[in-house]
Amino acid sequence: MKKIKLFLHVIGQGFANVFRNKWYSLASVATISLCLFVFGACYAIVANVQNMVMTAEEGVSLTVFFHSEGDMCETHEEGQVPDEQWVVEFQKEINARPEVLSSDFISDDQAWEEFGKNYFGDDFEDYAVAFPENPLEGDNSYEIFVKEVELQTQVVEWLNTHKEVRKVNYSEVTVDTLSGFNKLLVGGSVAFILILFAVSLFLIGNTVATGISMRSEEINIMKYIGATDFYVRSPFLMEGVLIGLVGAGLSMGLIYGLYGFVLSYVVERFEILSNFLNFLTVNEVFKVLLPGSLIMGMGIGFIGSFIATRKHLRV
Amino acid sequence: MTKKEQMSLEREAFVNENGIIVLDNVSKVYSAGAPALNEVSITIGRGEFVFIVGDSGSGKSTLIKLLLRELKASSGSVTVLGYDMGKLTHRNVPKFRRRIGVVFQDFRLLSDRDVYANVAFAQRVIGVPEEEIKVNVPAILKTMGLAGKYKAKTNQLSGGEQQRVALARALVNRPEILLADEPTGNLDPRNSWEIMALLEEINQQGTTVVVVTHNKEIVNSMCKRVITMNRGVVVSDEEGGFYNEEN
């Protein structure tokens, strides 16, 4: 009962401190809101890009071709043309690589049919008559899917170490663009957020320090009466936590509204874009963002006020 | 018996045997200059009324700070209520201070609160239940002659009334020792006498009272034990003594 009363006292005094010191509190709430707004906006963008990268990754694959006797333009060294058994065994080796998600065997016939359908569409049957033999004969290949786009280069390097491998097709641009953009975005936002965090810590610390100096007389009396360190310090810590919480709440409200607005604007105005870019819903973003921001807001508030009480409050 | 109870009994035995306040060869040296206290030895028994007098710089304030464990002695030992101030941990200081009441020359009241809130504050700080506060605060205010002033803001009160509120706050938690640092320093003679009468009444109820003062007239009229200090040294300690400025 005594502990509950003490806890209620701490919360009550924490609120009282926030209102007693309202202009400083407002400035701190605004800064922390801005900080968490930037964090939230960056997170929403990064989460969406990552989602798009993941979707793209599912479609991004590389294809490995082997030397075959059917190659008319090339001469082969001895042992460069693999036999069927080697090709089958090689798939096991590919699948055993840690970077590889899966691989599919594409026979020369499948490759010809796919090529024909891509280029001639429904008229393929008519054109195929002109080619009584498969022009891609012996062009067996594996389509390899990697776990992450960045790992594609490693797999390509490994494949090229085999003398049986004639060619590896992969999209270097897709890989570099997607992973590069993501890294830039994450790096840039982390740096910006860190600066804002430092500013927030400083401002919350100042707010709490002002509160301490405004209440120095009361704190002094408490000390003589026999108040514990916890009793004196905890309202100031609570003040910091409350400022952080309010700041986080405000920024999340703003992001919630803005995200929905931007999303519906993009979907309405750029219908083509939304057909191949897969956006996350607001609820999917907030599943991680909301608890993360609230914890971060409270954390910044707590750390800022903790530093201030350690520095300015001698109990 | 728990260790806590054992220690409490040991402290009680120390007080009964040696006194409620015991300073043994205490010196306090600040970073520069002469010592503020120089090998001071004082023993005050439970229930005594003691005046500590002396000019500015005689070491009176340092002595009060040592008794409240605001400062630690540079050498010698200070024992208050059986607590060795040199060994008292920071964590146990609040528990110790709850057994001591203190009033100051400048009253140190919370000007944004009324009389009731100022006195109740002392009880809330140490976690007294609200139902008890509602009984204790009016009772102590009545004793201090402030029954009709519960709702008055402290800055609307006279100096004498403000010091009585400060006394009520110091006494509401029933301390065993009351330290009064120049309690009449800001008061006119009539209010000064009223406060001294209250202090004497509190002492008669069993509280040990230590008054640091400059007020020669009051000291010489009350016929109490007077400890005179000069430049950090106790120059006289007399029962029924006088404030002799020649010391």
Side-chain angles (χ1 to χ4, degrees):
Chain A
M1 189 66 191
K2 216 171 176 180
K3 281 188 178 164
I4 296 170
K5 264 188 72 178
L6 183 60
F7 182 65
L8 291 176
H9 161 83
V10 169
I11 293 177
Q13 285 299 305
F15 271 105
N17 282 357
V18 170
F19 286 105
R20 204 174 280 152
N21 208 355
K22 50 182 172 289
W23 292 112
Y24 277 91
S25 301
L26 214 61
S28 300
V29 166
T31 324
I32 210 160
S33 275
L34 176 68
C35 172
L36 290 171
F37 177 79
V38 174
F39 166 75
C42 290
Y43 172 80
I45 296 169
V46 169
N48 270 296
V49 170
Q50 264 173 352
N51 184 50
M52 287 167 198
V53 169
M54 263 172 61
T55 317
E57 271 173 355
E58 282 164 16
V60 171
S61 62
L62 53 97
T63 313
V64 55
F65 297 94
F66 307 101
H67 291 286
S68 76
E69 296 296 353
D71 292 344
M72 287 173 284
C73 314
E74 287 181 45
T75 53
H76 303 291
E77 290 164 21
E78 200 180 321
Q80 217 176 7
V81 178
D83 57 24
E84 261 180 54
Q85 183 60 31
W86 186 90
V87 175
V88 172
E89 289 298 320
F90 192 56
Q91 189 178 16
K92 287 179 192 162
E93 271 188 63
I94 292 170
N95 289 342
R97 295 284 306 177
E99 306 91 344
V100 172
L101 195 69
S102 65
S103 66
D104 292 329
F105 177 71
I106 297 167
S107 68
D108 46 7
D109 288 338
Q110 276 173 298
W112 171 233
E113 204 177 316
E114 208 168 301
F115 171 83
K117 279 188 177 157
N118 277 345
Y119 280 86
F120 305 115
D122 292 340
D123 301 330
F124 175 56
E125 299 285 323
D126 302 335
Y127 286 101
V129 180
F131 299 94
E133 282 186 22
N134 182 354
L136 300 176
E137 196 181 327
D139 235 355
N140 297 322
S141 62
Y142 283 115
E143 190 176 11
I144 302 168
F145 296 92
V146 287
K147 286 173 185 162
E148 279 170 42
V149 176
E150 289 92 339
L151 302 172
Q152 199 167 275
T153 325
Q154 279 167 252
V155 180
V156 173
E157 279 169 9
W158 174 74
L159 288 168
N160 281 330
T161 58
H162 296 81
K163 65 177 188 302
E164 293 85 353
V165 169
R166 179 168 59 86
K167 191 171 71 172
V168 181
N169 281 350
Y170 72 106
S171 172
E172 210 168 340
V173 179
T174 315
V175 175
D176 291 348
T177 311
L178 285 177
S179 53
F181 179 66
N182 215 22
K183 272 179 195 160
L184 189 75
L185 193 66
V186 171
S189 22
V190 164
F192 190 48
I193 288 164
L194 281 179
I195 293 168
L196 280 172
F197 275 1
V199 175
S200 305
L201 277 181
F202 174 75
L203 264 176
I204 287 184
N206 257 4
T207 306
V208 171
T210 309
I212 290 170
S213 96
M214 278 168 75
R215 293 185 62 195
S216 62
E217 205 178 335
E218 191 179 340
I219 291 165
N220 218 10
I221 296 165
M222 280 189 204
K223 223 167 61 177
Y224 286 123
I225 291 168
T228 58
D229 284 9
F230 178 81
Y231 189 91
V232 180
R233 283 202 170 114
S234 52
F236 295 104
L237 297 178
M238 184 56 76
E239 180 186 357
V241 170
L242 285 173
I243 288 173
L245 203 60
V246 173
L250 278 177
S251 63
M252 287 304 99
L254 204 61
I255 286 182
Y256 194 89
L258 267 177
Y259 189 84
F261 173 76
V262 170
L263 206 65
S264 57
Y265 181 81
V266 170
V267 170
E268 268 175 39
R269 282 300 193 92
F270 307 101
E271 223 177 313
I272 305 161
L273 199 69
S274 59
N275 279 342
F276 63 91
L277 289 182
N278 198 8
F279 293 106
L280 292 168
T281 64
V282 73
N283 287 341
E284 281 171 322
V285 173
F286 266 69
K287 209 157 60 184
V288 177
L289 183 61
L290 184 66
S293 295
L294 292 178
I295 290 169
M296 243 192 279
M298 289 193 290
I300 296 170
F302 181 81
I303 294 168
S305 51
F306 183 79
I307 294 169
T309 50
R310 283 273 147 195
K311 202 170 160 192
H312 301 285
L313 192 56
R314 296 248 164 259
V315 185
Chain B
M1 189 186 291
T2 63
K3 199 181 168 194
K4 235 177 176 179
E5 287 168 336
Q6 176 70 34
M7 283 170 77
S8 175
L9 275 179
E10 280 172 19
R11 282 196 296 269
E12 197 57 32
F14 179 92
V15 170
N16 290 335
E17 210 173 300
N18 303 288
I20 202 162
I21 295 171
V22 182
L23 281 85
D24 186 16
N25 253 336
V26 173
S27 295
K28 177 67 193 173
V29 186
Y30 293 107
S31 51
L37 287 182
N38 195 2
E39 297 185 347
V40 169
S41 294
I42 297 171
T43 300
I44 296 172
R46 199 193 286 275
E48 271 198 84
F49 190 118
V50 181
F51 281 116
I52 297 177
V53 299
D55 293 334
S56 299
S58 60
K60 304 186 305 284
S61 297
T62 302
L63 181 63
I64 290 281
K65 284 177 178 169
L66 288 174
L67 298 181
L68 281 168
R69 181 43 171 78
E70 251 190 276
L71 292 175
K72 273 187 175 183
S74 308
S75 64
S77 74
V78 179
T79 313
V80 181
L81 288 158
Y83 288 93
D84 183 337
M85 296 291 105
K87 291 178 186 161
L88 187 67
T89 58
H90 179 77
R91 206 170 154 238
N92 283 322
V93 170
K95 212 171 110 189
F96 158 73
R97 285 192 182 150
R98 287 172 192 188
R99 295 174 65 184
I100 296 180
V102 56
V103 286
F104 300 94
Q105 180 175 356
D106 55 0
F107 322 131
R108 298 192 190 177
L109 299 174
L110 301 169
S111 53
D112 60 335
R113 282 163 235 191
D114 62 25
V115 169
Y116 182 93
N118 264 277
V119 181
F121 178 73
Q123 296 231 289
R124 290 197 181 110
V125 163
I126 64 165
V128 175
E130 208 59 36
E131 311 82 69
E132 283 182 42
I133 295 176
K134 280 178 187 160
V135 177
N136 295 342
V137 175
I140 194 79
L141 285 175
K142 198 175 163 195
T143 312
M144 294 295 140
L146 292 164
K149 306 254 178 180
Y150 294 4
K151 289 184 179 171
K153 289 271 189 219
T154 53
N155 51 17
Q156 295 167 339
L157 303 175
S158 70
E161 285 170 330
Q162 287 189 53
Q163 193 59 292
R164 278 188 273 157
V165 177
L167 261 176
R169 185 182 66 197
L171 295 169
V172 72
N173 292 335
R174 300 177 190 280
E176 287 159 74
I177 300 172
L178 179 69
L179 299 177
D181 190 2
E182 302 279 5
T184 59
N186 278 348
L187 304 180
D188 58 37
R190 193 175 69 89
N191 277 312
S192 296
W193 277 112
E194 274 178 21
I195 292 296
M196 291 319 295
L198 277 171
L199 291 178
E200 190 157 27
E201 199 182 317
I202 291 157
N203 175 244
Q204 277 162 5
Q205 285 166 11
T207 307
T208 306
V209 177
V210 178
V211 182
V212 170
T213 187
H214 267 112
N215 196 320
K216 194 176 167 187
E217 196 191 335
I218 283 174
V219 174
N220 291 344
S221 310
M222 284 184 72
C223 238
K224 301 285 183 188
R225 181 179 167 193
V226 180
I227 298 171
T228 309
M229 297 185 71
N230 189 16
R231 292 182 184 175
V233 178
V234 172
V235 289
S236 73
D237 183 351
E238 287 175 286
E239 196 63 53
F242 292 94
Y243 188 171
N244 187 351
E245 277 173 311
E246 282 169 20
N247 284 321

